Amino acid sequence: MDPVYKKVERCYQSIQGNLPFVPYLALVLGSGLGDLADGYPCEGAIEYQDIEGFPVSTVPGHKGRFIFTHVEDVPVVMMQGRVHYYEGYPMADVVLPVRLMRRMGAEVLFLTNAAGGASYSLAAGDLMLIKDQISCFVPSPLIGPNVEEWGARFPDMSHIYDPELMDAVRESAAELQIGLKEGVYLQLTGPAYESPAEIRMCRGLGADAVGMSTACEAVAARHMGYRICGLSCISNLASGMTDTPLSHKEVQETADRVAPLFKQLVARSIGKIKLKVN
Ligand code: HPA
């Protein structure tokens, strides 16, 4: 049996008995956005460190657990804290949590992150719907033998972000009168923030926002047939676009400031996604 497949199966077997329900939607909470989970009654929690072989994040601001709860009556598993490639984990481990949530039964993946704005039409504090993505210098999570149980060897990536789910987020933002930007997310490895020249390169490639997560998870998730939705919190303008040096503290502070709006938008969108898709 393929070792990557086996590892996901082993993780699943070890937690199967602790799942309070089969989640419909998997929500990945990005840097500084993990507190969203605190507003919901916890119907079950699984610490990453209690799952055999599971990668545990080392980044401040990233807790490490799955939380099970209902958002607008939709059964949701939330990932409070994700694992990043720059932490040194193999790519197969970085996307393992997303694969595991699919194994739990999730059909929709809602990815969130904090990102730097590379487009001059973005400002710190904006929320950006991810329309498409670019993976830059980050290895594909699909390299290696294909796991046929999960998906095709050469999966189509022409609609990574589901058009119907994008409409659900747009409609939710309009109802809540929350301004919503849209754009292309580009993933670099990090962990250093980019140089100004790298940001010019990203812009030239067609990126609106840059970050260190998400695109690899989306590729692994699309391969497995998830329907995907992505939302970035623009925590800062990217390197070279302002005079202030970038810091993780600034990223967290902006995420904290935007958290109430972010939370409302995510919750409304989740309710609408379930109605639209079924
Ligand atoms: N660059 C890369 N990743 C980020 C940034 C950034 O400016 N802000 C938040 N995550």
Side-chain angles (χ1 to χ4, degrees):
M1 204 195 288
D2 180 78
V4 175
Y5 177 76
K6 208 161 124 186
K7 191 163 180 180
V8 173
E9 282 303 305
R10 212 178 51 227
C11 287
Y12 180 67
Q13 305 305 336
S14 77
I15 59 169
Q16 195 179 10
N18 302 331
L19 307 181
F21 51 70
V22 174
Y24 170 75
L25 183 143
L27 173 62
V28 181
L29 297 168
S31 273
L33 303 168
D35 290 351
L36 184 142
D38 299 339
Y40 294 92
C42 175
E43 298 167 47
I46 301 173
E47 300 288 331
Y48 298 161
Q49 64 198 24
D50 296 338
I51 308 174
E52 199 190 316
F54 197 89
V56 178
S57 177
T58 55
V59 188
H62 287 254
K63 293 181 186 148
R65 59 183 170 206
F66 289 115
I67 293 180
F68 294 82
T69 189
H70 281 76
V71 177
E72 311 251 327
D73 292 333
V74 180
V76 171
V77 54
M78 297 187 190
M79 263 183 79
Q80 209 176 28
R82 55 149 66 91
V83 188
H84 299 84
Y85 186 56
Y86 61 73
E87 291 177 76
Y89 293 102
M91 188 45 91
D93 279 356
V94 175
V95 301
L96 184 147
V98 161
R99 286 175 166 155
L100 181 57
M101 293 190 291
R102 180 86 175 131
R103 185 68 180 82
M104 292 177 198
E107 295 172 36
V108 171
L109 179 65
F110 199 134
L111 292 166
T112 72
N113 57 49
S119 157
Y120 281 102
S121 55
L122 292 171
D126 278 348
L127 296 178
M128 187 192 89
L129 178 66
I130 305 178
K131 287 197 302 188
D132 201 353
Q133 68 178 36
I134 300 170
S135 182
C136 205
F137 312 126
V138 179
S140 167
L142 306 184
I143 290 172
N146 185 50
V147 177
E148 290 296 323
E149 287 88 341
W150 289 343
R153 171 75 292 189
F154 302 109
D156 177 54
M157 293 286 152
S158 43
H159 294 286
I160 297 179
Y161 297 91
D162 189 285
E164 253 186 304
L165 305 193
M166 283 197 267
D167 279 344
V169 181
R170 289 183 186 115
E171 286 165 24
S172 302
E175 284 173 17
L176 295 164
Q177 300 187 314
I178 295 174
L180 181 67
K181 301 287 176 65
E182 300 193 6
V184 172
Y185 176 92
L186 181 147
Q187 177 180 4
L188 290 155
T189 65
Y193 291 116
E194 302 70 29
S195 67
E198 284 164 347
I199 290 302
R200 287 194 295 276
M201 172 193 77
C202 296
R203 211 181 293 122
L205 291 177
D208 297 293
V210 297
M212 305 174 194
S213 66
T214 305
C216 58
E217 296 162 331
V219 168
R222 220 29 227 130
H223 176 240
M224 291 182 101
Y226 266 114
R227 297 180 72 171
I228 308 172
C229 178
L231 189 61
S232 290
C233 163
I234 304 300
S235 53
N236 55 280
L237 279 183
S239 173
M241 296 171 71
T242 64
D243 292 333
T244 27
L246 303 186
S247 72
H248 189 56
K249 188 162 165 277
E250 181 194 1
V251 170
Q252 284 183 311
E253 280 170 1
T254 311
D256 285 346
R257 179 162 62 80
V258 184
L261 284 186
F262 174 82
K263 190 174 167 174
Q264 280 180 44
L265 180 57
V266 169
R268 180 70 63 98
S269 302
I270 288 176
K272 227 177 251 298
I273 284 170
K274 183 78 164 94
L275 292 177
K276 256 189 197 295
V277 172
N278 291 330

